[in-house]
Amino acid sequence: MQREDWHLTEGLIFAHFAVFILSATMQGGLRALALTPGLVTSRPWTLVTYQFVHGRGLFWFFVSMLVLWIMARPLEESWGSPRFLIFWLIATLGASLTAVALGQPLVGDVGFSYCLLFTFATLYPEVEFRLFFIIPVKVKYLAIIAAAFLVFSSLSFGLLAGLANIAGMSAGYLFFLATRRLPSRRKLSFELNKRKAAMAVRAENAKAENRNRVWDPMVRAADARASEGRSVAAEDEALLAELDAAKDASITVCAPSEFGFIEDDVCRACSGYAECAARRIRLSAAGAHGESPRDH
């Protein structure tokens, strides 16, 4: 299945890089994006934009973007962009609202990065990465290491400082657990396509049945005249031409003895009705319902 043209993951990475480049040229501009509890009413956008302000060095910024690229894309591919957007917003707002309630300033995407890691590790625990690009380690063990580091950093730098990130991580992860049983985008797409196909078949069958019901009385009359006169009546030549023109070359029709007019459950909506009806009239004209048809 082809991917969507627009993806939230690429948009988030672009925003991170844009703000990171801005931080190298306009330090004052970052204050308008960072979350400051006392200024939230005048800067409500900071409830979200704080996540794009990185206070760490280039290496950790690169690692953060690598995690976002590697782990967010599969989730968005599976869930679809709308569900992934809700996931991101819940984790983001969970951290920022907690920070506001605690009166703590907040910058960086630590909360969402941890949330993304734990969610990815829950879904794909056996996927292997290379720690520091050297040591192979499965993502489930990376999640354990990250959880230990989160607890350690929260205790080392103050519980309140780390509580906002823990809250954001927990909010996003709880959303994932609550919606985990929802069908993936691929399954939804498959079910939707299956329903569309079923509806198309029903519509085609209804169209064929309506057409066959129109033909049926004329075919019966032509069949009776052919049986009686041992030839196709002149008045039925136009009907035969119409039936011949309506033949469906993509299907194989039943044996002549199985044709049952409109009363037959199969014949009623069959697209091969025209071919069978034309054959029936010609066989009746030949006086041999069980023999091969002859054109007249």
Side-chain angles (χ1 to χ4, degrees):
M1 183 175 62
Q2 292 183 346
R3 300 181 64 206
E4 298 171 347
D5 294 332
W6 182 87
H7 266 71
L8 179 62
T9 301
E10 285 88 338
L12 290 175
I13 293 175
F14 175 80
H16 278 286
F17 269 99
V19 175
F20 189 80
I21 294 172
L22 181 66
S23 67
T25 57
M26 296 178 58
Q27 286 292 332
L30 294 181
R31 287 196 293 269
L33 301 177
L35 178 65
T36 304
L39 300 176
V40 169
T41 54
S42 59
R43 298 176 181 175
W45 59 85
T46 59
L47 291 171
V48 173
T49 57
Y50 75 89
Q51 193 174 125
F52 304 114
V53 181
H54 292 266
R56 296 169 291 178
L58 181 61
F59 174 78
W60 288 110
F61 172 77
F62 176 73
V63 170
S64 179
M65 293 302 97
L66 191 62
V67 169
L68 185 59
W69 176 253
I70 293 175
M71 298 186 182
R73 285 183 64 200
L75 295 184
E76 189 175 3
E77 281 286 300
S78 176
W79 296 351
S81 296
R83 182 176 166 189
F84 184 79
L85 174 61
I86 296 173
F87 171 71
W88 178 77
L89 283 174
I90 288 177
T92 300
L93 293 175
S96 60
L97 293 176
T98 302
V100 171
L102 297 175
Q104 293 287 324
L106 187 63
V107 294
D109 63 341
V110 175
F112 179 70
S113 294
Y114 276 100
C115 178
L116 187 61
L117 173 60
F118 295 150
T119 301
F120 187 90
T122 303
L123 290 173
Y124 314 106
E126 301 302 321
V127 172
E128 189 174 272
F129 294 105
R130 291 192 175 273
L131 190 62
F132 301 113
F133 308 102
I134 300 175
I135 306 172
V137 58
K138 292 183 177 180
V139 70
K140 60 184 179 181
Y141 301 128
L142 278 178
I144 295 174
I145 295 172
F149 182 78
L150 180 62
V151 172
F152 172 77
S153 61
S154 298
L155 294 176
S156 300
F157 301 105
L159 187 59
L160 290 180
L163 193 56
N165 288 323
I166 293 175
M169 174 206 69
S170 302
Y173 191 72
L174 287 174
F175 170 79
F176 154 68
L177 293 178
T179 59
R180 186 177 183 182
R181 299 300 179 185
L182 292 178
S184 66
R185 186 180 69 170
R186 286 183 175 86
K187 187 173 182 180
L188 286 173
S189 178
F190 174 78
E191 291 296 332
L192 180 60
N193 290 335
K194 186 170 71 172
R195 291 186 181 183
K196 286 182 178 179
M199 291 175 63
V201 169
R202 286 196 295 268
E204 185 64 27
N205 287 342
K207 180 180 178 181
E209 181 176 345
N210 291 335
R211 181 188 58 188
N212 295 346
R213 286 187 180 278
V214 172
W215 277 331
D216 194 68
M218 294 185 290
V219 170
R220 289 176 186 271
D223 181 57
R225 286 189 287 269
S227 296
E228 183 179 351
R230 289 292 184 265
S231 64
V232 177
E235 59 188 288
D236 297 324
E237 292 291 349
L239 174 62
L240 273 178
E242 182 182 349
L243 293 173
D244 289 337
K247 287 181 181 179
D248 187 347
S250 66
I251 67 170
T252 302
V253 297
C254 302
S257 59
E258 296 179 352
F259 180 64
F261 294 101
I262 205 71
E263 285 81 7
D264 187 272
D265 292 337
V266 175
C267 297
R268 185 180 303 120
C270 180
S271 57
Y273 180 94
E275 182 175 352
C276 290
R279 180 180 61 186
R280 170 70 180 230
I281 295 172
R282 290 190 173 102
L283 285 173
S284 295
H289 284 291
E291 300 176 1
S292 298
R294 290 180 299 173
D295 291 332
H296 292 266

